[in-house]
Amino acid sequence: MTVTLRPGAPGDLMAVGALHHRSRVAAYSAFLPPEVLSDPSPEAMGLWWTERWGWERDDHTLTVAERDGALAGFSYVGPDDEGDPSTGILHAIHLEPAERGRGVGRALMVDALATMRTRSWRRAALWVLRENAHARRFYERGGWTPTGVVREEWMGSRRTPQLRYARDL
């Protein structure tokens, strides 16, 4: 029942997309309506990850977590989206819904921070949905603090406020 982490590979991307879809539905259903969460489909999310990875694999790191050979979660790290060369961004930590509270998210976060340090970044940043109280508590327990920067991004047909968090590495 041990969780193992490994670098993501092209063969993982469709499963990563499907897991990303399940994770979003489970995490966001308390504050976003079903019609917003149903689109894109799990298959479309896999195709999106395949396309994204094709463009970003040279400067981004996809890490997958497995428990007993099954995908349990993933993280995605890359250069800062605001252009600061001393900052890396944690684009995503998503878990299989049944894995919440079992240490997979923490293992992925610890690994993501270590990856950022090896890339010589001195600061880490991320964006989290304002209404996602569970994720905000998770990141705050991990030493992340809100920066006060807010953006709105489309999720399906709904604009969703996101908060930027950061921490020193």
Side-chain angles (χ1 to χ4, degrees), residues 11 15 22 31 40 57 59 64 66 70 72 75 81 96 121-122 131 139 154 158:
R22 290 188 299 275
F31 55 87
R57 70 175 150 227
D59 64 356
V64 297
E66 295 178 326
S75 66
D81 60 349
E96 192 63 60
W121 290 322
R122 294 185 305 279
E131 286 82 13
Y139 291 121
W154 286 99
R158 172 85 48 104

Side-chain angles (χ1 to χ4, degrees), residues 100-151:
R100 277 178 71 171
R102 299 185 68 198
V104 176
R106 179 168 166 62
L108 285 165
M109 185 179 3
V110 167
D111 179 76
L113 294 171
T115 296
M116 290 182 186
R117 286 184 198 101
T118 65
R119 306 244 337 240
S120 299
W121 290 322
R122 294 185 305 279
R123 193 138 175 83
L126 61 82
W127 293 97
V128 62
L129 294 179
R130 183 182 64 204
E131 286 82 13
N132 193 347
H134 180 81
R136 291 177 60 190
R137 282 190 305 274
F138 169 77
Y139 291 121
E140 289 166 5
R141 283 191 311 267
W144 299 81
T145 58
T147 65
V149 177
V150 179
R151 72 178 183 189

